[in-house]
Amino acid sequence: MALAACTLAIPGRAAPPAGEPEGGRHNLLWYDTPAEKWEEALPLANGRVAAMVFGQPVSERLQLNECTLWAGGPYNPVNPEAKDALPEARRLVNEGKYKDAAKLINEKIIAKPRGQMQYQTVGDLLLTFPAGNVGNYRRELDLDTATATVHYTRDGVDYTREVFANAPDNVIVVRFTANRPGSIAFTAGMKTPMHDVTVATEGADTLVMRGKGGKSGGVEGIIRYQARVQVIATGGKVNAEQAGITVDKADSVTLLIAAATSYKNFNDAGGDPEAMVKKLLASASKKSVEKLREAHLQDYQPLFRRVSIDLGHSDAMKLPTNVRIERFAEGNDPQFAALYYQFGRYLLIGSSRPGGQPANLQGIWNELLNPPWQSKYTININTEMNYWPAESGNLAECVEPLIAMVEDLTVTGARTAREMYGARGWVVHHNTDLWRASAPIDGADWGMWPTGGAWLCLHLWDRYEFSGDMAVLKRIYPILKGSAEFFLDTLQEDASGQWLVTNPSISPELGHPKGSPVCAGPTMDMQILRDLFANTIKAAETLGVDAGLRKQLTATRARLAPNKIGSAGQLQEWMEDWDMQVGNKTHRHVSHLYGLFPGRDITLRGTPELAAAVKKSLEIRGDKATGWATAWRLCLWTHLGNGDRAYEILKLLLSPGLTYPNMFDAHPPFQIDGNFGGAAGIAEMVMQSRPDEIEILPALPKALPRGSVKGLRARSGFEVDVAWQDGKLVEATLRSINGGSTRLRHGNATQDVTLAKGETYRWNMQ
């Protein structure tokens, strides 16, 4: 493709602002009925506290969460028999006695307790309003303002509720107004499924819930928590009664909700939640609603508005969101894909902010005492998928809680490495929790997988590659080094003596045809370790340290078992060609395809034979699986350059079976990773980057013939805008954050670009 024009901005010239608000309110979820089920309610959060808003006119429910309210307390789950049992387990695997190896692992290696601690719920704020004739109902979630609003008319009076989660003041704000003075009346109370909880009033205007986290797996719950709701009314009366706080004949009312726990870190739960929530409310109550809203928007919008996306408009935008989900597969609602992308970014901003916990299996939203899969951190795909849209979506700050968790895991993981394996460094298996447990859990068929921590290291490396920040590299290098050292100490020769492999391990979470998932050297492990070793080597070279370690890693990396192509032309999931013998060929996990995405082992142009084998594996597995697994397939097809196939999978993902009415991802049940994986896949259609190359429109589907995206981030410190028309690139704009070089690619056209810090380059294709 010939270049029509290329424009280099002069130094110091102001770049066009990225992420300006789109015309109209396109980033909007709306409904014409209240939520009856939790999966219909609208999510709000500020990274620490969260609410699900149902929008009921008479019996309103705000379900509340706090990110550190978990069961249990600090514990060491390493099985004391594990270290002595490992050599025998390895021998059994090498002899092909996989069932016997699994039996031994279950008896002597799996953690004690076998499970981990669960994320829990604060409870509900319940608001009871007078009954009456309700009409003109509408509820909505505006992603641009991160505000849920409910409008309705009751007995001739127009009522409005607004709810937002203010991060600077760390409170949830609920505002009630009406178009007739003296019309607001309700009773506020609280309840929870948690045990050992008391609810009381304090003074005339405050509800107080006190409780603690539950016991789990024999580990006593030690986290204490408190939630407070302060009622501030203009006009009317506010009284404390046995049932709660009553408001009568008020002109307007503001509720301030604060919650905190005693959690300080994974080794310390000795904080004072009462002091914290009192301090929060004392500060917030001195500010007007306008000031609280202004602080909220000044904090939130600079993050959300960094990226704007326009994929085209249609009349489908006039429909309620639940109807759009039902009809998206009809193919006439391109804007819904843009809304879904921005919803993913919204959820990440809400569930992962500096100072809070990383997004867990349900982000930060959970109504249950013991949610599915304990809503913990499943690191054989799900936690990592939560962060796939973070870097390209210009939300680097949201990765900070993940990095902080990995730093914690180097401490607990070092204990597991030492006590279980007799090794240096640190290790985490397929799950962790608030207490940073790192031993293998659940059972041999799921938990005997040692490369979870190594996969997390890829996100740390991404943080450096996207930022180019040497301070980031210096921070993460000891973490990468420790993970690499663990595998230097624990890799084993395979039965042939030719390759170095992990043993025992599994390919998550699929059993091979020899009776047990336990095996040696599954393809995914080898791909992850090739990435880990390569990134550790490059980090050490850049920092000018550890020449001996670099040499050892280079030699060891060369002996890792390679990718193999099997008899059906597929990429083998194991060292042996077992893929076509497994009982479930359409299994949700596609672990062995990590090397294409998000890993670095396989590329469409660099390793075309392996890419073709990935394609064959995807065809065998099929397009539809659980929500998150469908999202992974979407991302993989974008990296095979097949936008049309990817869009067909997106239509599956955005269907009632895999997307709930409130746009939460359905495993089913709810898991938030599918939202994040789907958002990442949409971005990967428009732009993909490597340290030395940015590819524009690598997988544009025919269903999106025109559009534009502003503010995406690419590796090596660049910000990218893209515009296209009639399926063809019109212009790509590149802004340098740090100064540096890259290569732009669109189809067969390439352009090398070097920019100083702050310079802009426009690649005009007309």
Side-chain angles (χ1 to χ4, degrees):
M1 182 181 296
L3 304 184
C6 295
T7 306
L8 180 64
I10 59 173
R13 177 177 172 183
E20 290 183 337
E22 299 170 339
R25 294 200 302 155
H26 300 154
N27 292 314
L28 194 72
L29 286 68
W30 77 273
Y31 307 83
D32 54 14
T33 58
E36 299 290 342
K37 301 177 181 178
W38 191 86
E39 294 83 3
E40 297 171 350
L42 296 174
L44 295 163
N46 64 12
R48 290 178 179 268
V49 292
M52 295 289 286
V53 182
F54 284 67
Q56 287 283 351
V58 176
S59 300
E60 175 63 300
R61 176 189 178 195
L62 274 74
Q63 183 267 311
L64 305 174
N65 287 104
E66 203 279 347
C67 68
T68 59
L69 181 48
W70 289 64
Y75 68 111
N76 179 8
V78 174
N79 192 320
E81 297 183 274
K83 187 175 179 181
D84 291 338
L86 267 173
E88 176 65 6
R90 287 165 172 161
R91 182 187 69 80
L92 291 169
V93 170
N94 277 338
E95 292 178 1
K97 299 177 180 178
Y98 304 108
K99 288 184 179 179
D100 293 338
K103 183 174 184 294
L104 177 64
I105 290 166
N106 281 320
E107 291 173 352
K108 296 189 175 183
I109 295 177
I110 291 298
K112 293 185 174 182
R114 294 177 71 91
Q116 289 179 347
M117 306 302 107
Q118 65 264 29
Y119 180 53
Q120 300 193 304
T121 180
V122 170
D124 297 339
L125 171 62
L126 301 175
L127 305 171
T128 304
F129 296 84
N133 295 317
V134 174
N136 300 320
Y137 182 89
R138 179 184 174 103
R139 66 186 173 102
E140 60 187 40
L141 175 62
D142 188 338
L143 304 183
D144 186 58
T145 62
T147 302
T149 307
V150 181
H151 301 279
Y152 60 90
T153 300
R154 187 185 70 227
D155 297 336
V157 180
D158 294 335
Y159 292 90
T160 300
R161 303 176 197 164
E162 296 176 276
V163 191
F164 57 90
N166 170 306
D169 296 280
N170 197 21
V171 291
I172 294 171
V173 181
V174 188
R175 178 69 168 170
F176 303 94
T177 56
N179 70 342
R180 182 182 299 170
S183 298
I184 299 174
F186 61 86
T187 299
M190 300 185 81
K191 74 171 187 178
T192 181
M194 301 285 283
H195 306 305
D196 301 320
V197 174
T198 63
V199 178
T201 56
E202 189 171 290
D205 64 354
T206 303
L207 276 168
V208 184
M209 176 185 284
R210 297 177 175 90
K212 71 172 196 174
K215 180 178 180 179
S216 183
V219 180
E220 289 294 332
I222 67 168
I223 286 182
R224 292 171 293 112
Y225 77 91
Q226 188 171 131
R228 285 178 173 251
V229 182
Q230 185 172 351
V231 182
I232 303 171
T234 301
K237 295 181 180 180
V238 178
N239 293 300
E241 299 183 357
Q242 185 174 1
I245 305 291
T246 63
V247 176
D248 189 40
K249 297 181 179 179
D251 300 332
S252 64
V253 179
T254 300
L255 305 183
L256 300 178
I257 306 169
T261 79
S262 59
Y263 179 85
K264 289 185 173 181
N265 58 56
F266 68 93
N267 264 329
D268 185 354
D272 185 347
E274 179 163 318
M276 285 186 274
V277 292
K278 282 184 173 179
K279 183 178 179 180
L280 290 170
L281 289 183
S283 175
S285 63
K286 295 176 183 177
K287 302 177 182 180
S288 67
V289 171
E290 290 72 22
K291 289 293 184 183
L292 290 169
R293 183 184 290 109
E294 180 182 0
H296 161 62
L297 295 177
Q298 287 179 350
D299 168 78
Y300 169 79
Q301 287 184 330
L303 292 170
F304 183 77
R305 288 183 173 181
R306 283 177 186 165
V307 175
S308 65
I309 179 170
D310 178 4
L311 299 178
H313 301 162
S314 71
D315 286 343
M317 295 171 61
K318 301 175 183 177
L319 299 171
T321 300
N322 55 310
V323 178
R324 295 177 74 181
I325 294 169
E326 294 169 1
R327 298 185 183 181
F328 182 73
E330 297 174 5
N332 61 350
D333 193 358
Q335 195 274 338
F336 194 66
L339 180 66
Y340 190 82
Y341 173 72
Q342 292 288 40
F343 184 62
R345 294 181 68 249
Y346 166 84
L347 293 177
L348 190 58
I349 295 170
S351 59
S352 186
R353 298 288 292 273
Q357 294 299 308
N360 62 43
L361 204 59
Q362 295 185 184
I364 192 174
W365 298 276
N366 163 47
E367 66 170 338
L368 300 174
L369 196 67
N370 188 11
W373 304 283
Q374 297 78 52
S375 193
K376 53 187 183 291
Y377 301 101
T378 303
I379 57 175
N380 65 11
I381 172 61
N382 311 97
T383 302
E384 291 88 350
M385 184 178 282
N386 285 359
Y387 288 89
W388 284 358
E391 297 289 355
S392 66
N394 218 332
L395 294 175
E397 296 90 339
C398 295
V399 185
E400 172 58 31
L402 183 71
I403 299 175
M405 182 176 78
V406 177
E407 289 174 327
D408 290 347
L409 288 168
T410 65
V411 179
T412 57
R415 181 179 63 196
T416 299
R418 180 176 63 254
E419 295 180 3
M420 180 175 167
Y421 291 91
R424 298 173 296 162
W426 63 279
V427 62
V428 190
H429 294 78
H430 93 297
N431 266 277
T432 190
D433 56 19
L434 183 74
W435 311 107
R436 309 319 190 215
S438 54
I441 66 162
D442 294 341
D445 291 0
W446 301 274
M448 195 62 253
W449 183 70
T451 47
W455 188 348
L456 288 173
C457 284
L458 181 63
H459 284 273
L460 276 60
W461 184 249
D462 280 346
R463 180 79 289 276
Y464 167 65
E465 281 195 337
F466 275 87
S467 69
D469 188 340
M470 288 297 291
V472 171
L473 185 63
K474 291 176 181 177
R475 179 184 179 186
I476 69 171
Y477 175 66
I479 303 172
L480 271 61
K481 178 181 177 180
S483 183
E485 285 178 332
F486 169 80
F487 289 101
L488 288 177
D489 288 358
T490 58
L491 286 170
Q492 305 289 305
E493 286 191 341
D494 73 335
S496 72
Q498 182 179 7
W499 306 112
L500 292 174
V501 296
T502 48
N503 180 9
S505 187
I506 64 169
S507 186
E509 295 173 9
L510 179 60
H512 58 70
K514 301 302 179 181
S516 166
V518 176
C519 64
T523 296
M524 183 188 219
D525 284 11
M526 301 297 98
Q527 294 170 341
I528 289 173
L529 293 187
R530 272 190 287 274
D531 282 348
L532 173 66
F533 287 4
N535 297 338
T536 305
I537 292 166
K538 187 171 182 179
E541 288 175 344
T542 303
L543 294 172
V545 298
D546 292 332
L549 176 65
R550 282 182 259 156
K551 184 176 180 180
Q552 186 180 10
L553 288 172
T554 300
T556 303
R557 188 175 187 272
R559 289 195 64 194
L560 294 173
N563 292 300
K564 295 182 179 179
I565 298 175
S567 57
Q570 88 287 0
L571 188 72
Q572 289 184 194
E573 188 158 355
W574 299 272
M575 294 182 69
E576 295 80 2
D577 191 359
W578 288 332
D579 299 67
M580 303 310 295
Q581 303 172 47
V582 298
N584 185 1
K585 295 184 179 62
T586 59
H587 194 269
R588 62 191 180 279
H589 279 262
V590 285
S591 303
H592 55 311
L593 309 186
Y594 161 96
L596 177 69
F597 182 84
R600 313 295 171 80
D601 239 18
I602 301 169
T603 62
L604 188 59
R605 281 183 293 276
T607 56
E609 292 181 355
L610 291 175
V614 168
K615 179 181 178 182
K616 184 63 177 179
S617 292
L618 280 173
E619 290 171 345
I620 293 169
R621 286 289 162 92
D623 290 347
K624 186 175 182 179
T626 58
W628 65 263
T630 302
W632 196 355
R633 286 157 169 79
L634 163 64
C635 292
L636 287 163
W637 280 107
T638 67
H639 279 256
L640 290 173
N642 193 330
D644 291 335
R645 185 71 172 264
Y647 198 79
E648 290 301 310
I649 297 173
L650 182 65
K651 291 197 289 187
L652 294 174
L653 183 63
L654 272 60
S655 66
L658 297 180
T659 295
Y660 288 115
N662 64 359
M663 288 180 61
F664 271 166
D665 171 70
H667 181 279
F670 168 49
Q671 281 188 199
I672 204 166
D673 37 33
N675 287 105
F676 294 131
I682 292 166
E684 298 290 323
M685 292 176 179
V686 177
M687 188 271 291
Q688 298 171 15
S689 72
R690 298 290 184 183
D692 57 351
E693 184 172 279
I694 301 169
E695 187 166 7
I696 307 299
L697 300 182
L700 183 68
K702 293 184 179 66
L704 301 175
R706 62 155 298 272
S708 65
V709 180
K710 296 180 180 180
L712 295 177
R713 282 295 295 267
R715 288 175 172 85
S716 300
F718 291 99
E719 196 168 80
V720 181
D721 301 343
V722 182
W724 65 96
Q725 185 71 42
D726 299 325
K728 298 178 181 179
L729 177 63
V730 174
E731 184 178 79
T733 302
L734 192 67
R735 288 181 293 278
S736 177
I737 307 301
N738 306 317
S741 300
T742 191
R743 171 174 291 178
L744 286 172
R745 174 183 293 277
H746 174 61
N748 294 322
T750 62
Q751 181 68 40
D752 293 332
V753 180
T754 298
L755 298 177
K757 181 178 180 179
E759 278 190 319
T760 297
Y761 180 86
R762 291 183 178 83
W763 202 22
N764 191 316
M765 308 301 285
Q766 290 186 325

